[in-house]
Amino acid sequence: MPEDSPNFLRQAVPTQPKAAITGAYPTLRLRRNRTHDWSRRLVAETHLSVDDLIWPVFVRDESCPDAEIAAMPGVRRFTLSELSDAVGHAAELGIPAIALFPYVEDAKKTPECHEAVNGDNLVCRAVRQIKAEVPGVGVICDVALDPYNALGHDGLVRGGRVLNDESIDLLCRQAQVQADAGCDVVAPSDMMDGRIGRIRACLDVAGHQDVAICAYAAKYASAFYGPFRQAIGSGAALKGDKKTYQMDPANSDEALREVALDLDEGADLVMVKPGMPYLDIIRRVKENFSVPTLAYQVSGEYSMIQAAAQNGWIAGEAAMMESLLAFKRAGADGVFTYFAPTAAEKLRAG
Ligand code: PBG
């Protein structure tokens, strides 16, 4: 902007910090620091560590014979008898936390979502087992009705509408049975208005002051969740889309309002979801609030990398590591990723 430009014009342009220009070619050559492996390592601005990884884990019972998920090559649904070994391995690799997602048989899906609040449902049994057998790993439970809902939505549906406040009553009870089972973190992914505050209050009344809340704060109505819905068997039930409660991908300011509300209501961690198409949102959230901010590299992002790798179109491992590092560079403190064990092994190997 020239010095003599009119004041109003100068003020209209936001003042961005400029990258420091410290010299000029040919004395200054930025390639010099890129010459060696040691020098590249020395000047790296961002680092990915196993401490940044959260592993989403699918669980099934006898009602689901299939371990394999066609749309997510390399991801399995674990039975409870397989679960402790898998989670134990993740813990040995240093992965701090897992997030549990159940495959629920159709017979247990109802319009009233009864199974969501059953203290002996698959997720609660999984939590009790992991806490007994792999106590050191953090356990995160998803709070939303979709796995249990005959209509596939995250909230209660009546007359074709997803009800807000009535859904929260159920979500509070769902969070409470998960906390009773011993989970460390409840993660409401439902996007109802006001649920964080009410879940916090319910947990506190029930004596669960130490159970944290990870709010899926900026969760977008995304096409990238497709493979997940196959993995938990909710895709067939879902009629229509989730646009009346999940966010419009066009919006960014609104994400900051969602995050502000969830923090006000007591969220300990906030999340942006999906991940890679929303790195700009992660950056804005981190810069505006300076709170623990997580990203979710969702099923569709995972499957795209895997599919391209399987076709020989990209180098899968390198793309995996690059995608995870990108979340750190954008400002995320941690990443939910189906790659967690593979990435952890790669990080360990160096
Ligand atoms: C459900 C939920 C979804 C995901 C996590 N929790 C799907 C959805 O909102 O439809 C998506 C995760 C993924 O795609 O990996 N409340």
Side-chain angles (χ1 to χ4, degrees):
M1 177 94 19
E3 278 303 305
D4 59 353
S5 46
N7 261 341
F8 77 88
L9 198 57
R10 260 194 261 162
Q11 280 160 11
V13 179
T15 44
Q16 293 283 347
K18 293 191 186 67
I21 303 297
T22 50
Y25 170 82
T27 37
L28 183 64
R29 291 174 185 265
L30 294 186
R31 287 186 57 188
R32 226 175 261 132
N33 284 339
R34 297 178 200 142
T35 309
H36 309 285
D37 177 65
W38 67 260
S39 61
R40 289 191 293 271
R41 283 191 284 125
L42 193 64
V43 302
E45 298 171 40
T46 316
H47 299 274
L48 178 71
S49 124
V50 69
D51 296 333
D52 301 318
L53 305 175
I54 297 163
W55 185 31
V57 174
F58 297 113
V59 288
R60 66 183 168 118
D61 59 18
E62 318 71 50
S63 68
C64 174
D66 292 329
E68 307 293 321
I69 302 156
M72 299 185 75
V75 173
R76 295 167 51 85
R77 304 180 187 98
F78 294 107
T79 61
L80 291 191
S81 56
E82 299 161 336
L83 183 65
S84 295
D85 276 355
V87 175
H89 178 61
E92 273 165 30
L93 287 168
I95 293 172
I98 61 151
L100 289 170
F101 295 96
Y103 179 96
V104 178
E105 64 187 298
D106 284 348
K108 287 191 176 149
K109 295 181 198 276
T110 60
E112 301 303 320
C113 311
H114 298 101
E115 187 65 5
V117 300
N118 171 6
D120 209 27
N121 68 23
L122 182 58
V123 162
C124 292
R125 281 182 281 137
V127 172
R128 281 194 288 270
Q129 179 181 312
I130 294 166
K131 280 293 147 190
E133 295 179 11
V134 196
V137 79
V139 177
I140 303 172
C141 286
D142 204 65
V143 182
L145 302 177
D146 52 328
Y148 311 100
N149 192 342
L151 298 155
H153 278 287
D154 293 16
L156 274 181
V157 183
R158 296 231 179 91
R161 287 190 56 230
V162 176
L163 304 183
N164 195 84
D165 300 5
E166 294 80 351
S167 296
I168 297 181
D169 293 339
L170 269 179
L171 296 168
C172 286
R173 288 168 57 199
Q174 182 184 21
Q176 191 177 330
V177 296
Q178 294 168 344
D180 289 344
C183 77
D184 302 286
V185 181
V186 292
S189 69
D190 56 288
M191 289 299 279
M192 298 302 119
D193 284 324
R195 87 281 204 216
I196 299 299
R198 289 207 33 216
I199 289 172
R200 182 70 271 161
C202 288
L203 291 176
D204 288 354
V205 166
H208 292 304
Q209 289 88 350
D210 294 338
V211 172
I213 299 181
C214 170
Y216 285 65
K219 178 174 178 183
Y220 288 85
S222 172
F224 291 94
Y225 307 149
F228 172 94
R229 292 179 190 165
Q230 183 187 89
I232 68 159
S234 69
L238 180 65
K239 303 278 176 295
D241 55 49
K242 300 189 177 183
K243 289 180 186 172
T244 69
Y245 47 105
Q246 298 180 348
M247 281 181 56
D248 183 343
N251 296 351
S252 172
D253 289 344
E254 189 188 359
L256 300 186
R257 300 181 80 193
E258 284 285 3
V259 169
L261 284 167
D262 286 357
L263 289 170
D264 250 23
E265 292 175 30
D268 301 281
L269 308 127
V270 294
M271 191 215 288
V272 174
K273 178 181 174 195
M276 214 145 77
Y278 297 86
L279 293 179
D280 58 320
I281 309 296
I282 295 169
R283 163 61 65 183
R284 286 193 79 191
V285 168
K286 190 66 186 175
E287 281 185 349
N288 275 277
F289 298 100
S290 304
V291 296
T293 304
L294 305 175
Y296 199 137
Q297 181 179 53
V298 300
S299 55
E301 298 174 63
Y302 168 86
S303 297
M304 285 194 303
I305 293 175
Q306 290 292 78
Q310 286 187 347
N311 276 295
W313 296 336
I314 58 173
E317 277 207 342
M320 164 185 81
M321 297 309 275
E322 183 178 335
S323 68
L324 294 172
L325 186 65
F327 292 112
K328 294 297 305 285
R329 195 191 61 239
D333 298 294
V335 188
F336 285 66
T337 174
Y338 301 96
F339 286 121
T342 318
E345 266 162 33
K346 180 117 177 93
L347 287 166
R348 173 183 271 193

